Amino acid sequence: MRISVIVPAFNEEAGIGTVLRTLTDPVEKGSDMEIVVAANGCTDRTAEIARTFDVHVVEIATPSKAAALNAADRIATGTVRVYMDADSPADIPLIRKLADAVERPGVEGAVPRPVVDTSSSTLPVRAYYAINSRLPIFRGRLFGRGVIAISATARARFPRFPDITADDMLVDAVVAPGEKAEIDAPISVLAPRTGGELVRRLARSRDGNAEFWRFVASAPDGFGELPGPVAGSSTTSWMRNVVLRAPWLAPAAVVYVAVVLLAERKRRSASWDVRSGWGRAAPAAPAAPASPAVVPPAAVVPAQRRAAESRVDQSG
């Protein structure tokens, strides 16, 4: 088994060093694992910092996660692909557990167990996640973790990552329900700090969900019949599946519903931009897409993690 860890990165100068230092530990990494960083549309030193580590670096001019994933996939050599956000706290032992899971017969996709960290969040944000984290939509799914491992069989089911925000929903859709595994290993998902940040994150998440369903309805060439697209979330799931079973959460549910309504209003407003607030800095006007430049490995440097933008927020 050979493992390719693919890390798309857009203006991640502040945090990419910390992530790559963890992923390139010479004691744990081994020759069976390669790290591919796909710097896309960066206007900072993301690619420069990445080159100081024992990783492959792909640079593309377009600020597009889908384009970054596709560029990295073209040079990746692993039979197991691990797609990982550039701010994910995943480490090598976790990646190996995920890879081992998809090597088991009948398992084509694996994720860790998400644990939402609200320790730095305000009370309304904690109330929202008291409901959100109990929604059944996350059971048996591959999205919302920031890291997904899939087998060569699963990767062969789609020709490319389409230009949509919810790439993890696509991966979830190509892996049938009985082929998914959640391993018994936690991964921390950092919650927004304030209510305003939460509303913006949720607006992005809901916009990405809607975009995904438009993609599915368009029946694009080469994708065939997606075996397991996540069922559309129910607008009453928070009541039926959470509050009726845990009535003491009713006050939190009031906050939850208010946040969902505010997020929906924001994403439907005339001034809404789904990419608002992503990355470290607004990119300069993109040049014409360039051919990926593959840069060989190297050695070390610093960093800090950015807030996750769309994890564990598939409201229902």
Side-chain angles (χ1 to χ4, degrees):
M1 173 177 65
R2 181 164 174 77
I3 306 166
S4 290
V5 181
I6 292 175
V7 186
F10 169 65
N11 285 351
E12 293 289 350
E13 174 183 326
I16 196 68
T18 297
V19 171
L20 294 182
R21 189 174 299 110
T22 298
L23 294 180
T24 56
D25 183 314
V27 176
E28 297 183 312
K29 181 170 173 283
S31 59
D32 62 336
M33 183 182 296
E34 66 178 358
I35 315 297
V36 183
V37 176
N40 59 104
C42 295
T43 58
D44 65 1
R45 297 173 57 248
T46 296
E48 180 184 340
I49 292 170
R51 289 191 191 104
T52 66
F53 291 87
D54 181 21
V55 303
H56 299 288
V57 178
V58 178
E59 281 192 84
I60 59 174
T62 309
S64 161
K65 184 178 180 182
L69 291 170
N70 290 328
D73 260 341
R74 283 193 287 272
I75 69 161
T77 61
T79 52
V80 172
R81 300 288 166 93
V82 179
Y83 299 101
M84 174 178 155
D85 288 353
D87 63 346
S88 172
D91 56 17
I92 292 176
L94 175 62
I95 287 170
R96 290 199 178 281
K97 288 178 183 178
L98 292 171
D100 288 343
V102 299
E103 284 288 289
R104 298 200 302 260
V107 177
E108 309 296 348
V111 288
R113 172 171 48 85
V115 177
V116 181
D117 179 4
T118 59
S119 60
S120 299
S121 302
T122 59
L123 190 57
V125 175
R126 296 183 186 191
Y128 171 86
Y129 281 104
I131 302 297
N132 178 266
S133 62
R134 291 173 168 83
L135 293 175
I137 195 170
F138 301 111
R139 296 172 197 152
R141 296 294 179 179
L142 300 181
F143 48 69
R145 276 77 166 176
V147 58
I148 303 174
I150 61 172
S151 66
T153 299
R155 181 59 190 87
R157 291 174 182 170
F158 61 103
R160 67 191 181 282
F161 282 94
D163 190 18
I164 60 175
T165 305
D167 53 276
D168 54 355
M169 289 184 71
L170 172 73
V171 175
D172 180 76
V174 302
V175 180
E179 299 174 333
K180 299 169 185 174
E182 180 181 274
I183 66 171
D184 187 21
I187 189 163
S188 177
V189 177
L190 187 63
R193 191 176 61 84
T194 67
E197 292 171 9
L198 173 60
V199 168
R200 287 190 293 275
R201 180 188 293 192
L202 184 56
R204 285 190 289 269
S205 177
R206 292 176 71 85
D207 213 59
N209 295 351
E211 180 186 45
F212 170 75
W213 281 107
R214 290 193 298 270
F215 170 79
V216 170
S218 72
D221 291 340
F223 285 85
E225 186 80 18
L226 296 175
V230 59
S233 58
S234 165
T235 56
T236 60
S237 182
W238 61 271
M239 173 64 75
R240 290 182 295 102
N241 300 108
V242 181
V243 177
L244 290 181
R245 299 178 184 182
W248 60 89
L249 288 173
V254 174
V255 176
Y256 174 84
V257 172
V259 169
V260 170
L261 292 175
L262 287 170
E264 189 63 19
R265 185 175 73 173
K266 176 173 281 292
R267 85 173 188 90
R268 291 177 183 274
S269 66
S271 61
W272 171 246
D273 175 7
V274 68
R275 288 173 173 79
S276 172
W278 282 7
R280 288 290 178 184
S291 299
V294 182
V295 185
V300 192
V301 171
Q304 172 194 334
R305 205 181 141 205
R306 74 168 164 90
E309 292 300 338
S310 59
R311 299 188 203 134
V312 196
D313 285 316
Q314 316 282 333
S315 59

